[in-house]
Amino acid sequence: MSVNEPQSGEGPPPPPETSGQPPETPYPPPPPPPTAPVAPAKPWQPVGVVPERLSDVYYRTGLTIFLTIITLGIWGFLWTYRTSEDLKKYNGDGLGGVLGIVIYLLISFVLMFTIPNEIKNMYERDGRPSPITAVWGLWFLLPLIGNIVWYVKVQRVLNEFWLSKGSPPA
Protein backbone atom coordinates (compact mmCIF):
# COMPACT_ATOMS: atom_id res chain seq x y z
CA MET A 1 0.00 0.00 0.00
CA SER A 2 1.26 3.47 -0.89
CA VAL A 3 1.41 6.39 1.44
CA ASN A 4 -1.22 8.36 -0.56
CA GLU A 5 -3.81 5.62 -0.57
CA PRO A 6 -6.25 5.72 2.32
CA GLN A 7 -6.30 2.80 4.60
CA SER A 8 -9.60 1.50 5.71
CA GLY A 9 -11.07 3.68 8.46
CA GLU A 10 -8.46 6.46 8.27
CA GLY A 11 -10.79 9.28 7.03
CA PRO A 12 -11.55 10.86 3.68
CA PRO A 13 -9.24 10.55 0.74
CA PRO A 14 -6.85 13.44 0.11
CA PRO A 15 -7.90 16.03 -2.50
CA PRO A 16 -6.64 15.42 -6.01
CA GLU A 17 -3.54 17.32 -6.97
CA THR A 18 -4.09 20.43 -9.08
CA SER A 19 -1.81 22.38 -11.34
CA GLY A 20 -1.14 25.25 -8.88
CA GLN A 21 -4.59 26.84 -9.26
CA PRO A 22 -6.76 27.43 -6.19
CA PRO A 23 -9.75 25.16 -5.89
CA GLU A 24 -13.02 26.54 -7.33
CA THR A 25 -15.64 27.79 -4.89
CA PRO A 26 -19.35 27.74 -5.64
CA TYR A 27 -19.70 31.51 -4.82
CA PRO A 28 -17.91 34.44 -6.50
CA PRO A 29 -15.50 36.39 -4.32
CA PRO A 30 -16.86 39.55 -2.68
CA PRO A 31 -16.12 42.83 -4.48
CA PRO A 32 -13.16 44.85 -3.24
CA PRO A 33 -13.96 47.70 -0.85
CA PRO A 34 -14.36 51.11 -2.50
CA THR A 35 -11.24 53.20 -2.59
CA ALA A 36 -13.01 56.58 -2.47
CA PRO A 37 -16.19 57.58 -0.69
CA VAL A 38 -19.22 57.51 -2.94
CA ALA A 39 -21.19 60.76 -3.17
CA PRO A 40 -24.82 60.46 -2.10
CA ALA A 41 -27.33 60.51 -4.92
CA LYS A 42 -29.19 63.76 -5.56
CA PRO A 43 -32.90 63.65 -4.95
CA TRP A 44 -34.82 63.28 -8.17
CA GLN A 45 -35.87 66.59 -9.61
CA PRO A 46 -37.95 66.75 -12.78
CA VAL A 47 -36.61 68.96 -15.53
CA GLY A 48 -38.63 70.78 -18.16
CA VAL A 49 -41.41 71.99 -15.85
CA VAL A 50 -43.17 75.05 -17.29
CA PRO A 51 -45.42 77.40 -15.31
CA GLU A 52 -49.01 76.15 -15.05
CA ARG A 53 -50.57 79.36 -16.33
CA LEU A 54 -49.21 82.75 -17.36
CA SER A 55 -52.22 84.54 -15.89
CA ASP A 56 -50.48 84.70 -12.51
CA VAL A 57 -49.42 88.17 -11.35
CA TYR A 58 -45.72 87.26 -11.65
CA TYR A 59 -45.98 87.07 -15.45
CA ARG A 60 -47.88 90.32 -16.03
CA THR A 61 -45.37 93.02 -16.85
CA GLY A 62 -47.33 96.17 -16.02
CA LEU A 63 -48.79 94.79 -12.81
CA THR A 64 -45.40 93.64 -11.56
CA ILE A 65 -43.85 97.06 -12.23
CA PHE A 66 -46.76 98.75 -10.45
CA LEU A 67 -46.56 96.41 -7.43
CA THR A 68 -42.78 96.82 -7.19
CA ILE A 69 -43.14 100.62 -7.09
CA ILE A 70 -46.07 100.62 -4.64
CA THR A 71 -44.37 98.16 -2.24
CA LEU A 72 -41.05 100.05 -2.47
CA GLY A 73 -39.28 97.07 -4.03
CA ILE A 74 -40.65 94.29 -1.85
CA TRP A 75 -42.60 92.81 -4.75
CA GLY A 76 -39.24 92.51 -6.54
CA PHE A 77 -38.24 89.88 -3.96
CA LEU A 78 -41.28 87.78 -4.84
CA TRP A 79 -40.72 88.18 -8.58
CA THR A 80 -37.05 87.24 -8.20
CA TYR A 81 -37.93 84.15 -6.18
CA ARG A 82 -40.61 83.01 -8.61
CA THR A 83 -38.57 83.68 -11.75
CA SER A 84 -35.44 81.97 -10.38
CA GLU A 85 -37.51 78.96 -9.30
CA ASP A 86 -39.22 78.72 -12.70
CA LEU A 87 -35.85 78.78 -14.46
CA LYS A 88 -34.39 76.15 -12.15
CA LYS A 89 -37.41 73.86 -12.52
CA TYR A 90 -37.19 74.05 -16.28
CA ASN A 91 -33.40 73.95 -16.72
CA GLY A 92 -32.57 71.55 -13.88
CA ASP A 93 -29.81 73.90 -12.76
CA GLY A 94 -29.35 77.54 -11.91
CA LEU A 95 -29.77 79.74 -8.88
CA GLY A 96 -33.20 78.77 -7.66
CA GLY A 97 -35.47 80.93 -5.55
CA VAL A 98 -33.63 81.02 -2.24
CA LEU A 99 -30.23 81.81 -3.70
CA GLY A 100 -31.88 84.37 -5.99
CA ILE A 101 -33.29 86.16 -2.93
CA VAL A 102 -29.92 86.10 -1.15
CA ILE A 103 -28.24 87.66 -4.18
CA TYR A 104 -31.09 90.17 -4.47
CA LEU A 105 -30.48 91.23 -0.87
CA LEU A 106 -26.70 91.45 -1.06
CA ILE A 107 -25.76 92.40 -4.63
CA SER A 108 -28.96 92.77 -6.64
CA PHE A 109 -27.30 94.04 -9.83
CA VAL A 110 -25.74 90.57 -10.28
CA LEU A 111 -29.22 89.18 -10.96
CA MET A 112 -29.49 91.51 -13.93
CA PHE A 113 -26.77 89.37 -15.54
CA THR A 114 -27.57 85.90 -14.18
CA ILE A 115 -31.28 85.79 -15.04
CA PRO A 116 -30.73 86.74 -18.72
CA ASN A 117 -27.87 84.24 -18.86
CA GLU A 118 -30.12 81.44 -17.58
CA ILE A 119 -32.75 82.43 -20.14
CA LYS A 120 -30.11 82.36 -22.89
CA ASN A 121 -29.04 78.87 -21.80
CA MET A 122 -32.68 77.77 -21.79
CA TYR A 123 -33.19 78.95 -25.37
CA GLU A 124 -29.93 77.36 -26.55
CA ARG A 125 -30.79 73.99 -24.98
CA ASP A 126 -34.03 74.19 -26.92
CA GLY A 127 -32.04 74.69 -30.12
CA ARG A 128 -33.23 78.26 -30.65
CA PRO A 129 -31.27 81.51 -30.80
CA SER A 130 -31.74 83.54 -27.65
CA PRO A 131 -33.16 87.04 -27.98
CA ILE A 132 -31.34 88.00 -24.77
CA THR A 133 -27.86 87.48 -23.29
CA ALA A 134 -26.07 88.27 -20.05
CA VAL A 135 -24.87 91.56 -21.57
CA TRP A 136 -28.47 92.71 -21.24
CA GLY A 137 -27.65 93.20 -17.55
CA LEU A 138 -25.75 96.39 -18.39
CA TRP A 139 -29.10 98.18 -18.26
CA PHE A 140 -28.50 98.52 -14.52
CA LEU A 141 -26.15 101.39 -15.38
CA LEU A 142 -29.17 103.61 -16.17
CA PRO A 143 -30.96 104.36 -12.90
CA LEU A 144 -34.68 103.53 -12.80
CA ILE A 145 -35.37 103.57 -16.56
CA GLY A 146 -32.70 100.90 -17.11
CA ASN A 147 -34.37 98.61 -14.58
CA ILE A 148 -37.74 99.04 -16.28
CA VAL A 149 -36.34 98.41 -19.77
CA TRP A 150 -34.46 95.36 -18.47
CA TYR A 151 -37.50 93.93 -16.74
CA VAL A 152 -39.89 94.49 -19.67
CA LYS A 153 -37.53 92.71 -22.08
CA VAL A 154 -36.74 89.84 -19.69
CA GLN A 155 -40.39 89.20 -18.83
CA ARG A 156 -41.47 89.36 -22.49
CA VAL A 157 -38.78 86.87 -23.52
CA LEU A 158 -39.69 84.55 -20.62
CA ASN A 159 -43.41 84.69 -21.41
CA GLU A 160 -42.75 83.94 -25.09
CA PHE A 161 -40.68 80.90 -24.12
CA TRP A 162 -43.28 79.57 -21.66
CA LEU A 163 -46.02 80.01 -24.27
CA SER A 164 -43.94 78.08 -26.82
CA LYS A 165 -43.71 75.22 -24.34
CA GLY A 166 -47.45 74.96 -23.82
CA SER A 167 -48.10 77.12 -20.80
CA PRO A 168 -51.62 78.57 -21.14
CA PRO A 169 -51.70 82.35 -21.73
CA ALA A 170 -53.30 84.92 -19.48
Side-chain angles (χ1 to χ4, degrees):
M1 197 185 274
S2 74
V3 178
N4 288 342
E5 291 181 19
Q7 296 179 4
S8 61
E10 285 190 18
E17 292 186 27
T18 60
S19 62
Q21 296 178 358
E24 291 186 33
T25 60
Y27 303 105
T35 56
V38 178
K42 285 185 172 181
W44 180 77
Q45 178 181 356
V47 178
V49 178
V50 298
E52 291 179 17
R53 179 172 279 290
L54 294 184
S55 63
D56 199 359
V57 68
Y58 300 103
Y59 307 106
R60 294 183 179 203
T61 307
L63 186 56
T64 297
I65 291 171
F66 175 74
L67 288 172
T68 302
I69 292 169
I70 293 301
T71 63
L72 303 176
I74 293 173
W75 188 259
F77 286 99
L78 298 172
W79 181 86
T80 299
Y81 179 85
R82 180 66 174 259
T83 300
S84 298
E85 273 299 302
D86 284 348
L87 289 168
K88 187 169 185 168
K89 285 179 185 175
Y90 187 82
N91 291 330
D93 62 1
L95 296 177
V98 175
L99 188 55
I101 291 295
V102 170
I103 292 173
Y104 188 82
L105 283 169
L106 300 176
I107 44 178
S108 62
F109 72 91
V110 170
L111 286 176
M112 295 186 81
F113 294 95
T114 58
I115 289 175
N117 189 55
E118 288 183 26
I119 294 170
K120 177 187 76 78
N121 293 340
M122 185 169 63
Y123 268 87
E124 289 175 353
R125 286 182 186 138
D126 200 37
R128 300 175 359 192
S130 176
I132 191 170
T133 64
V135 175
W136 196 256
L138 290 174
W139 277 102
F140 89 92
L141 294 172
L142 289 176
L144 188 59
I145 191 70
N147 288 345
I148 293 172
V149 170
W150 177 89
Y151 169 75
V152 169
K153 174 73 171 186
V154 166
Q155 192 62 57
R156 186 170 39 109
V157 168
L158 269 174
N159 287 348
E160 288 171 1
F161 188 84
W162 298 139
L163 287 170
S164 74
K165 293 299 171 186
S167 187

